[in-house]
Amino acid sequence: MSALPAATPARTGWLRDLRRIATFTGKRLIALILTVLVGVYLTILIANMGGQVDDLRMLQIRATVSEQVRADPAFFDMPSEERNELIERQVQLEVERRRLDEPFMVRSIDYLAQGMQLDLGRAEEMHSDSGSREVYQIIVERLPATLLLFGTANLLVFFVSVWAALWLSRRYGSPADRSVIALAPSSAAPGWFYGIFLILIFAFLVPVLPAGGMVDIPPPEDSWAYAASVMRHMVLPVAAMFISSIFISIYSWRTFFLIHSSEDYVEMARAKGLPSSLIERRYILRPTLSPIVTSFALMLIGLWSGAIILEQVFNWPGLGTLLFQAIGYRDTPVIIGSVVIFAYLLALTVFLLDILYAILDPRVRVGIEGDNR
Amino acid sequence: MNRWLSGLRELRQYPSAIGGMALIAFLIGLSVYTVIVIPYSQALEQWRGGEQWQMHPVNAGPVWADRLLGGNKPETITVSSDDATVEERTFDGGRQLRIPLGFDFTYDDFPSEINLFLQSRGTERQGFVRLSWRTPDGDTIPLGTQRIARDDRVSISQNRSLEGRLGQPPHIGLFAGADPGDNPEPVAGRYELVVDAMLFGDDPTLSAELAVYGRVHGIAGTDHQRRDLMVALLWGTPVALAFGLLAAVGTTVTTLVIAAAGVWFGGLVDATIQRLTEVNIILPLLPILVMVGTLYSTSIWLMLGVVIALGIFSAGIKMYRAMLLPIRQAPYIEAARAYGASNTRIIMRYMIPRILPVLIPTFVTLIPTYVFLEASLAVLGLGDPVLPTWGKVLNDAQVQSALYNGFYYWVVSPALLLMLTGLGFAMLGFALDRVFNPRLRTQ
């Protein structure tokens, strides 16, 4: 759809546009990979606590090994000196196996390489529902739940708010418009906050909807019944997110559209007597499409973080709850793994935003680097 | 300066600004009151819990909420032996005491628990007490006999044999009259717990304190550790305001200075700042805070530091940069350069003040974001270990399944205060936005 209006000199313009978009995307991809690299490395540095993690691990290794040796009946008759020596040897072996004898800088590069390849190591306490100890498996198992919940809520908020804002920008100053302005400050509270109230009202005072979880227990056998059950469980969390971001969203879009609908070319189109739906589509929405997409992506970025607590409040089995459980177990590999995955998700969002931007913004295609990004 | 004053004057036209300022003023007043009435060290001491709360009921709701709904649930009644008329009889090597602890019970619901605290002093060996309960009907129910230590707590509610005899938990059975039936109702009237004590020693004394715990307490109610929630609700206010304000100031000021420096110096400095911003956008703030909280410490000041550190290169830099770029070319900056102003001077005195008015609304709306961030961390269980905050109350409530157990007040009151804070700043911020943002004003 993008290249059609620009394709005046038929095929050559097409190819040129594609090439430009490809180089732009390539550049951005490299920049983003570098960014993720730095981000993940910072995470590793923070997680290492300036070497304290290593000390803790050494202590833990020593404790486990000496426990093992002392409890083994085969070593009961051993004189204590010999036994201590054995413990020392075992500890040394374990330390070498985990490469704790190497300097941290070497290992951190190693961790970085592993982190970038999403080889996130093995969890200390937790395991996935299928029994795997791989952090990657544990996280990937939770990802669809998060995507389902947040995808639904975000798309809903986005489309409803853009549509409502367009509608309101035509009715500037009407009671509906003013009530949206008055309600906009309600978005100061995050979704989980409204979630608490929604649970209180709809799950306890008027028990019509489930207070938490993703499906009924036990899960229904029939796949339609399963889907219906998931839908029922989604109502409250989606509503919480919807309430917390809808008014501010409508408010900012409305202001945005108001500014753009007073542009000269829109006045001109109005003067020509074009129907208002056409004016909206072609004269207001099309030029503002790239900022709209930007803000959508920024909203996605913001909501990735908000997810953690909302999921915890609604007991939704997604990434947020996982992180919360990992905090409970003090399971460092899972926590670091989640941070890395979050960083990747954010980078992915930014990358998709860039590609969309390249497609939507003619300046990128023509080769002018916009300064207002 | 004139622009500011006229802006402030214009603000008075917006009812939402007035409302927001009233809310903020209320919260600031509450903070000042709190800090004066309950000093910091005392608040920490109280919130640590323990003995000092033993006269408070467990999980009691606020009194006003119950009375508003037309209920008449009991408040806690304490009767001390200091106010009772004690019958004494001294014999060779000891003393016999009879302490009647009487009280009037007029409520429509049963108490939640009954405890008797005994303190004996000057005894040579352990004495005995025999407890009996007198109901308004004139019945006497024996509660058993036991030895007493120096400081003793007799949990009458947990007396299993008594529960077996009454057929109900003692705090219900003792108030239900002679023939309670299936749906016991409390009988109003004067009850009396008679403590008959036998003490051995030259001059032994015994003081007794009866606590008939209620189901409602004070303005805010109590939590599972008998702590008065008022402490946390009050102290949450200054903590939340301080955290929100410091975090907002810290991030806005540093971001602004860095953006201005980038625009002014341009070239490599600008490019570096831009790339750092891009890295920072990818770093997920909350997971990193969670990580820091788990691995290092959950001190609120460390969290504040991390929030500010991660907020320095925030997405705001891009916005400020776009605003500052045209200013860089302005003639008055040229003039400043001509008279030999230093780089720092140009950045701090010429560039930043120009965009400050536009920033004020952003700054004000940023405060509640950080207030809620602190609450979010606390709800995740990473609240400050010693400070009482709203988020920690919410966390306690969630851990104790407050909603499931019907302790709605436990969740609603901190949430309401959070909401007020958020609303206050957001309302003011939105009004400021319309005043200071000329682009919106023309509409």
Side-chain angles (χ1 to χ4, degrees), chain A residues 15 39 75 77 82 103 117 142 170 176 180 196 230 238 257 260-261 273 316 322 334 344 357 370 372:
Chain A
L15 282 175
F75 302 126
D77 301 334
E82 225 171 295
Q117 292 160 23
R142 303 295 191 103
R170 261 180 285 153
V180 164
I196 291 180
V230 172
V238 168
F257 287 137
H260 277 270
S261 55
W316 188 265
L322 177 74
V334 179
Y344 258 104
Y357 220 89
N372 57 343

Side-chain angles (χ1 to χ4, degrees), chain A residues 166 256-289 292:
Chain A
L166 264 181
F256 184 77
F257 287 137
L258 274 178
I259 290 168
H260 277 270
S261 55
S262 59
E263 296 277 357
D264 290 343
Y265 56 82
V266 182
E267 300 289 339
M268 165 77 182
R270 272 208 196 101
K272 275 201 290 187
L274 291 180
S276 63
S277 63
L278 193 72
I279 294 180
E280 265 168 24
R281 252 204 338 268
R282 217 175 263 171
Y283 290 80
I284 301 180
L285 272 185
R286 182 59 188 93
T288 52
L289 208 50
I292 290 178

Side-chain angles (χ1 to χ4, degrees), chain A residues 8 33-34 120 126 231 269 330:
Chain A
T8 358
I33 290 177
L34 285 177
L120 302 172
M126 303 173 75
M231 294 269 272
R330 306 265 147 177

Side-chain angles (χ1 to χ4, degrees), chain B residues 154-349:
Chain B
V154 186
S155 277
I156 297 173
S157 302
Q158 278 161 23
N159 188 335
R160 294 284 160 235
S161 72
L162 180 62
E163 185 171 344
R165 260 188 292 149
L166 291 168
Q168 267 138 1
H171 53 269
I172 292 176
L174 290 177
F175 286 88
D179 184 25
D182 286 339
N183 279 322
E185 295 260 333
V187 176
R190 188 165 180 81
Y191 290 86
E192 208 172 53
L193 176 74
V194 183
V195 181
D196 282 307
M198 186 74 86
L199 306 168
F200 306 103
D202 289 339
D203 182 25
T205 56
L206 178 75
S207 61
E209 201 166 7
L210 172 70
V212 179
Y213 297 100
R215 289 182 188 269
V216 288
H217 178 88
I219 304 175
T222 58
D223 67 2
H224 61 300
Q225 296 186 31
R226 299 178 189 275
R227 296 177 295 194
D228 192 342
L229 285 178
M230 206 61 198
V231 177
L233 294 185
L234 282 177
W235 253 94
T237 324
V239 172
L241 289 187
F243 188 87
L245 204 67
L246 286 176
V249 168
T251 49
T252 336
V253 169
T254 46
T255 309
L256 189 56
V257 171
I258 285 173
V263 169
W264 179 243
F265 292 112
L268 194 62
V269 179
D270 194 28
T272 315
I273 291 175
Q274 294 281 6
R275 296 297 90 75
L276 277 176
T277 312
E278 273 150 29
V279 173
N280 202 33
I281 290 178
I282 284 182
L283 286 182
L285 174 65
L286 200 60
I288 288 190
L289 280 177
V290 165
M291 197 166 76
V292 171
T294 321
L295 297 177
Y296 294 71
S297 102
T298 52
S299 154
I300 200 167
W301 305 118
L302 177 72
M303 290 296 169
L304 184 66
V306 176
V307 166
I308 293 178
L310 286 175
I312 290 176
F313 290 99
S314 66
I317 283 194
K318 301 235 165 196
M319 189 177 82
Y320 302 151
R321 189 168 167 272
M323 284 194 272
L324 284 163
L325 271 175
I327 294 177
R328 187 174 191 257
Q329 317 291 343
Y332 78 97
I333 298 233
E334 195 99 4
R337 248 174 130 177
Y339 84 71
S342 69
N343 287 334
T344 333
R345 191 177 165 83
I346 289 179
I347 292 173
M348 303 302 283
R349 302 295 297 274

Side-chain angles (χ1 to χ4, degrees), chain B residues 19-56:
Chain B
M21 280 195 276
L23 276 178
I24 295 170
F26 165 72
L27 290 167
I28 292 175
L30 196 63
S31 318
V32 172
Y33 168 80
T34 306
V35 176
I36 292 170
V37 171
I38 315 172
Y40 182 72
S41 55
Q42 198 186 328
L44 295 194
E45 179 60 35
Q46 290 189 358
W47 196 243
R48 202 170 295 141
E51 290 252 309
Q52 53 185 321
W53 297 112
Q54 63 184 5
M55 288 302 172
H56 285 66

Side-chain angles (χ1 to χ4, degrees), chain A residues 215-252:
Chain A
V215 283
D216 287 332
I217 299 167
E221 301 267 324
D222 180 38
S223 56
W224 284 110
Y226 190 90
S229 169
V230 172
M231 294 269 272
R232 252 170 65 79
H233 284 79
M234 266 171 70
V235 172
L236 283 187
V238 168
M241 273 190 280
F242 190 77
I243 295 172
S244 84
S245 43
I246 189 70
F247 291 114
I248 184 78
S249 205
I250 296 180
Y251 173 80
S252 50

Side-chain angles (χ1 to χ4, degrees), chain B residues 363-430:
Chain B
F363 171 74
V364 173
T365 31
L366 212 58
I367 295 174
T369 319
Y370 290 118
V371 172
F372 274 103
L373 182 68
E374 192 272 321
S376 306
L377 284 171
V379 169
L380 282 176
L382 296 170
D384 190 273
V386 290
L387 267 181
T389 64
W390 296 332
K392 274 176 81 181
V393 176
L394 280 176
N395 184 37
D396 281 344
Q398 209 181 4
V399 171
Q400 302 290 325
S401 313
L403 289 182
Y404 182 76
N405 290 321
F407 307 137
Y408 300 139
Y409 67 94
W410 202 353
V411 175
V412 172
S413 41
L416 210 65
L417 280 167
L418 273 171
M419 188 78 238
L420 282 186
T421 315
L423 267 185
F425 284 103
M427 276 157 69
L428 180 64
F430 274 81

